[in-house]
Every structure is written in structure tokens, then in C-alpha cells.
Amino acid sequence: IELSPSDLEDILWDLQVSLLESDVAVPVADELINRVKNKLTGRKLGLREDPKKVAEAVLEEAMREILEAGEKVDLLQVVKAKNERNEPAVLVFFGINGTGKTTTIAKLAKYLQERGLRVVLAASDTFRAGGIEQLEVHARRLGVELVKQRQGADAAAVAYDAISHAKARGFQVVLVDTAGRMQTDRDLMDEMRKIVRVTRPDLRIFVGDALTGNDAVEQARTFNQEVGIDGSILCKMDADARGGAALSITYVTGKPILFLGVGQGYEDLVEFKPELILKPLLE
Amino acid sequence: KLGKALHGALQKLARAPHVDEETVRELVRDLQRALLQADVNVQLVLDLTRRLEERLRKESPPPGMSRREHAVKLVYEELSGLLGKPSSFELKKGAPTVVLMVGLQGSGKTTSVAKLAYHFRKRGLRVGVVCADTFRAGAYEQLSQLGQRAGVEVWGEPGADDPVALARRGVEELGRRCDLVLVDSAGRHKEEKGLMEEMRRMAEAIGPDEVMLVVDGTLGQQARDQAEAFRKVTPLGSILVTKLDGTAKGGGALSAVAATGAPIKFIGTGEHLEDLEPFSPPRFMARLLG
Ligand SMILES: Nc1nc2c(ncn2[C@@H]2O[C@H](COP(=O)(O)OP(=O)(O)OP(=O)(O)O)[C@@H](O)[C@H]2O)c(=O)[nH]1
Ligand SMILES: Nc1nc2c(ncn2[C@@H]2O[C@H](COP(=O)(O)OP(=O)(O)OP(=O)(O)O)[C@@H](O)[C@H]2O)c(=O)[nH]1
Ligand SMILES: [Mg+2]
Ligand SMILES: [Mg+2]
């Protein structure tokens, strides 16, 4: 039997609502529903098949396609390749205010240390009150080297300093923390471009908040256009986030999610797998 | 004054040869899309647009009002209904006013505490702030630097591990010489049961005149459930929406108001101390609608 157009519309509408309720941005949800519609139109269903279940399976497939569309990025592999050329890998983290950049850097430092890599942190948030001190506390607790200057110093200069230090002392990875910034702020986006130009990073990492709604598309698109994104990290997934932002960001950038932040502790960082998003999203 | 998206939708209505089912449905669909892209809670949007469609169909414009003007009026009524009664921040007479700031991680509490302190200090009040966030690395340094810039006294106990006792001590001490005491607390979300309980104990210990929920302007569909969870732990006096200087429309905040009944009193529009504005419903709505 074939689904009638009106039955299909009803099923698609329900799926669209659940996508939107899971924080998949409106245009991304539209795209997903269109793909499901194309796959289901004219499709014959077995007598025993539940059309709703079939549609959900097709939707899951469409979501997986988006999440796996980007080229694969293996962070450890990127580091290894750079180290083989006797150079430290440079990772620069950016995103809007309060998404979890500084905390993520601390978690990643621990993650890398546990894999035998020596890490240097660059305190390139030279603007925000307590920006340097926050990273300093994490560095001390983890026994990680930190390169800093005073508040108000040039962010790119601090990062460059950290990279020189890493090269001189044989450190394998440099993690560059930057100040939060709205993607609409001209001057701050210029500064970010300067940091990237000066540090020539191996990975430009966008850090987003999993609780963000439709703005995730705006942030990801503009940072990608203005700075370039090689991969993203989505924090605060433990806050009952449905993870729609992961789809929005991946769809807009074509680059993969590398990790998910799942708490405030140093251990709360997990390597990204589509299942981690697909499960809560379709709940 | 209306947002672009709604303006466009109403233009279509105005140009339509007659207002029929299809025109109304199209207006409602456009409005729905605008509200969803603004992060307003999905169920809220569906309920609102269902009600609106019904009213547009049933109610005829009063004499002298065009079909289009009537539609605008109904849309505005329905949306303002979501915002609840406008309400401004009230200071207590004869005793220090104590405000406890709570909210999700990274929403902008610490920065907003400093902005509020600066705002009221400029108006001649003696303001003190308490750093009751004993968890976050560098929390005291952050508030201390901001407080200094704002010209207010900062109470903090770096190294202390009981935030509730610290909050009580800070409020008691600053209350002796301040008209307004603002208490900054650690970020928390509804799944962190221990932290939600800590917030309950903190409110109980300091007896605030107002508990202000700080909501990130970029917050999506989780706004409603998170705000509700906060309200269940402690009554909320008001909401402060941050980061509206970016591209986010703040629909999440609207959902938080609808879920808690707490009015929005201030908005944050940047990282500097001056970037605080008292809430203006028409401006917020215009931004929300595109
Ligand atoms: N629950 C939870 N909280 C997180 C997570 N990641 C970060 N946080 C918290 O979010 C808040 C903000 O984190 P930061 O690391 O300061 O964020 P940031 O992006 O560096 O902020 P700015 O530098 O001010 O732009 C802190 O309270 C963190 O503990 C996460 O995965 N889960
Ligand atoms: N652009 C912009 N940034 C803001 C605004 N309010 C706060 N911020 C920034 O957002 C980031 C987080 O602000 P905080 O005050 O540290 O947030 P918080 O809620 O205290 O964070 P936790 O204590 O970790 O939960 C900082 O980079 C602030 O400068 C705002 O209105 N606009
Ligand atoms: Mg930071
Ligand atoms: Mg804080």
C-alpha cells in the first residue's frame, strides 16, 4: 500500500515538531523533512509496516547523513602528523560568550595528557575579567604549562608566545583560549582573524552551547565564513539538551562535531558519535 | 515598529483582494515561522497561532479599522499576553534590598550582577555584591575585578567551600552598610539535583527580596523546562535576558516568562558595565519578530 499525501503530511508534521522541539533550527528541520518526504513519496509500505516507524527510520537516516557528511577529523591524528614534522599542533578555540571554551580547553588538556602528550595552554582571553586567572587555576590543578601576559595584552601575541615556547621546549600541543565574542562584532572578528593568521592553527575549533536554539546556525555560519571552522565542540549536553544544535552546526559548516561536553568536571568530555545525538533527539 | 517577517506577512494580507481562509492561513504560517526562528517554545507557538487564526476568522474589525489593522492588533494582543504584566524593579524601603541571581551555566550572571551594581550605584545607592560562587575557577577574581570597576564593595571568601554559609555571611555584613546587596551564584541546570538543592538552601538562608533568573538570549527550546525547574525550587521575582546584542531574538526568554510568570525587568546588550537596559516590551517584540 502507498501512503496518501495527507497521511504523509500528518506524519511529516509530527516529525517536524519533534525536530523543532529538539532545537534543530527551522531551516535545517525544513531540509530534513524535505529529504524524508522525497524518500517516502511514492514508496510502497508492507501491510505490516507502521508508516510512522518507517518515517522515523528514514529521518534517522537523513540526520545521520548530515552528521557524517563532513570530512572525518581525528584530533589525535592531526596532532601526531604535526609532531612527526617536529612541530607542536596548534588548536585555536573560539565562539560566542559563555559557551564553554575555557572549561573545554581544560578538559581537552587532561584528555591529551592522559594520552602521553605534553600540552601548553595559551591565555589569549586578555579581555574578560578573570579570564587569565580562570585558565591559570585549571592549569595549576592539571599540572599543565600556561603561557600568559597581563590583561589587555595582544591576544595573538600571547598565542604566538605560547607556540614559540612549545617549539623551544618540545611540547606537542598548544591549546589557545580566546575571549568570547559575538559573531556580529566587526572588530572582534577582525581580531579572531588576526589570531588565526599569526598562529596558523592545525585546527580552528568552534565551541557552541548545546542549549542554543536557532542562533546556532547564525553563529556557525558567520564564524565559518569569517574565520573558518575545522570542527566543533558542543558543551552542556548534560543539561537535558536534545542536541539539535549539533545538526544545525554540522549542516551549516559541513565540518564534524569532535567532542561533546557533558559536565563541569575534567572528565566530562566525550568523543562525538552520531548515536549520542540521535538517541536524545528522537525521544 | 513591527519586525520584518511579520511586516511582510501583513503586507500580503493588505494586498489580498479579500481576506479569505487562505490569506489568514498564510499570515498565521508566516507568524509561526517567525516565532519558531526566534526560539519561542514550539507548543506555545502552536497554541498562540491556533488562537489567533480562530480570532481572525471569527472577530470582525471594529468600525473604522481596516482588516489589516485589526490583524496587527490581534497579533500584538496575543504576543503581549505572553509577556505578562510589565513590571519594574522595586527597591525596599527602610531596609537593604537583597537580590539573588541564579541561572544556567554561562548565562551571564556574574557580568549582570556587576552591571546592576553599576546601574544602581550611579543612581546614588550604596551597593554591595557577594560572590557566592565557590565552584567556578576564578569566580572571585572575575567578580572582584568587575566590582572594582563598578565602584562597589565585593564580599568574597576565596577558598571557602560552603556557598550557602558564605552567602549568609556576605548578606549580613554588607547589609549593614548597603541599600542593595546583589548575590552572585554558581551556574546550574535542572539535571544537577545537588546544585538545585543548594540554590534552595541559599535562598532560604538569605531570604532575598527578589530572585532574578538570568536567561541567555540564545537559549532555545530548553528555556521553558529549565525556567520551570528553577521556579519549583524557589519563587522567581524577575528575569534578566542577556546577549541581545548578538543575533538571537530572545524567544527562549519569552517562554521562560510564560512558564514562570516572572516578568523580564532588564536586558544585557554587551560585555561592558553600561550594557544594561530596563526592559521595553515593544522593542523586544519588534526584535523577536524579525
Ligand atoms: N553543565 C555543564 N557546564 C559546562 C560545560 N562546559 C562548560 N560549562 C560551564 O559553563 C560555564 C561557562 O564556561 P566557560 O568555560 O567559562 O565558557 P567560555 O566560553 O570560556 O566563556 P567566555 O570566555 O566568557 O566566553 C562554566 O560555569 C562552566 O563550568 C558542560 O559541558 N556542562
Ligand atoms: N555580548 C554579550 N556578552 C555577555 C553579556 N552578558 C554576559 N556576557 C558575557 O558572557 C560570558 C559569560 O558571562 P558570565 O557573567 O561569566 O556568566 P555566568 O552566568 O556568571 O557564568 P557561570 O558563573 O559560569 O555560570 C562572559 O564572556 C560575559 O562577558 C551580554 O549581554 N552581551
Ligand atoms: Mg573563556
Ligand atoms: Mg558566574
Side-chain angles (χ1 to χ4, degrees), chain A residues 23 30 214-215 238 240, chain B residues 33 39 105 189-190 221 247:
Chain A
D23 281 317
D30 284 345
N214 281 262
D215 203 50
D238 52 307
D240 196 17
Chain B
R33 192 179 179 76
D39 295 323
Q105 284 88 353
H189 60 68
K190 67 183 173 73
Q221 292 296 315
T247 44

Side-chain angles (χ1 to χ4, degrees), chain A residues 96-103 107 125 128 134 178 180 235-236 238 261-264, chain B residues 105-106 136 189 192:
Chain A
I96 71 156
N97 308 72
T99 55
K101 299 174 290 300
T102 306
T103 309
K107 293 175 186 175
D125 176 354
R128 207 204 66 212
Q134 183 184 6
T178 66
C235 303
K236 310 178 198 171
D238 52 307
V262 293
Q264 297 190 260
Chain B
Q105 284 88 353
R136 176 167 150 155
H189 60 68
E192 293 162 327

Side-chain angles (χ1 to χ4, degrees), chain B residues 194-214:
Chain B
L195 293 181
M196 295 305 279
E197 170 60 12
E198 173 192 279
M199 176 172 69
R200 190 194 62 74
R201 289 193 304 111
M202 188 175 291
E204 194 173 62
I206 67 178
D209 299 294
E210 183 137 325
V211 177
M212 192 177 285
L213 179 69
V214 178

Side-chain angles (χ1 to χ4, degrees), chain A:
Chain A
I1 48 148
E2 194 178 307
L3 267 180
S4 75
S6 75
D7 281 343
L8 184 58
E9 285 304 319
D10 287 344
I11 290 177
L12 290 178
W13 173 252
D14 285 343
L15 290 181
Q16 188 157 11
V17 168
S18 33
L19 287 178
L20 295 173
E21 288 184 317
S22 296
D23 281 317
V24 176
V26 171
V28 180
D30 284 345
E31 173 62 21
L32 279 167
I33 295 302
N34 266 332
R35 291 189 192 185
V36 175
K37 183 173 185 179
N38 292 337
K39 291 192 185 175
L40 287 182
T41 303
R43 167 164 168 170
K44 300 279 189 293
L45 288 173
L47 288 173
R48 292 267 182 74
E49 284 190 293
D50 174 0
K52 201 161 195 311
K53 287 270 179 310
V54 173
E56 281 175 6
V58 171
L59 176 60
E60 180 163 338
E61 204 179 311
M63 291 198 290
R64 192 178 287 273
E65 271 169 27
I66 287 184
L67 289 174
E68 298 179 338
E71 33 183 295
K72 294 267 173 294
V73 172
D74 183 336
L75 193 143
L76 294 173
Q77 202 38 45
V78 170
V79 172
K80 187 157 175 282
K82 192 77 184 288
N83 293 164
E84 279 170 1
R85 287 153 45 201
N86 275 318
E87 297 237 28
V90 178
L91 277 54
V92 175
F93 298 79
F94 49 82
I96 71 156
N97 308 72
T99 55
K101 299 174 290 300
T102 306
T103 309
T104 295
I105 284 171
K107 293 175 186 175
L108 205 54
K110 179 157 209 282
Y111 173 90
L112 294 167
Q113 275 187 321
E114 284 174 351
R115 284 154 180 76
L117 297 163
R118 291 175 62 228
V119 183
V120 177
L121 305 182
S124 287
D125 176 354
T126 55
F127 167 75
R128 207 204 66 212
I132 296 170
E133 290 85 342
Q134 183 184 6
L135 196 58
E136 214 165 5
V137 169
H138 288 311
R140 191 177 56 242
R141 283 186 196 156
L142 295 172
V144 184
E145 194 101 351
L146 174 81
V147 170
K148 60 168 180 157
Q149 290 177 20
R150 31 157 215 91
Q151 191 175 57
D154 182 85
V158 177
Y160 187 80
D161 221 10
I163 295 169
S164 311
H165 179 80
K167 282 187 181 155
R169 306 287 173 82
F171 284 86
Q172 282 119 340
V173 195
V174 180
L175 304 179
V176 182
D177 190 15
T178 66
R181 67 201 65 220
M182 287 303 175
Q183 79 279 8
T184 44
D185 190 314
R186 261 263 141 73
D187 296 334
L188 293 182
M189 292 307 277
D190 282 344
E191 180 195 62
M192 195 65 233
R193 267 192 295 275
K194 177 178 171 202
I195 294 171
V196 168
R197 205 167 48 241
V198 163
T199 59
R200 296 166 61 221
D202 299 286
L203 288 176
R204 293 160 300 181
I205 301 177
F206 171 75
V207 180
D209 185 329
L211 295 171
T212 308
N214 281 262
D215 203 50
V217 166
E218 292 305 314
Q219 295 170 26
R221 177 172 39 234
T222 304
F223 270 101
N224 197 26
Q225 278 170 207
E226 306 277 317
V227 181
I229 294 173
D230 297 312
S232 303
I233 295 180
L234 204 58
C235 303
K236 310 178 198 171
M237 273 301 295
D238 52 307
D240 196 17
R242 296 297 151 73
L247 277 169
S248 308
I249 292 168
T250 315
Y251 180 70
V252 162
T253 62
K255 294 293 160 65
I257 306 279
L258 303 174
F259 292 91
L260 295 177
V262 293
Q264 297 190 260
Y266 297 121
E267 299 293 323
D268 297 323
L269 188 71
V270 300
E271 294 167 9
F272 182 72
K273 293 188 170 45
E275 287 65 38
L276 296 172
I277 292 295
L278 295 176
K279 279 240 179 317
L281 220 151
L282 288 174
E283 220 91 291

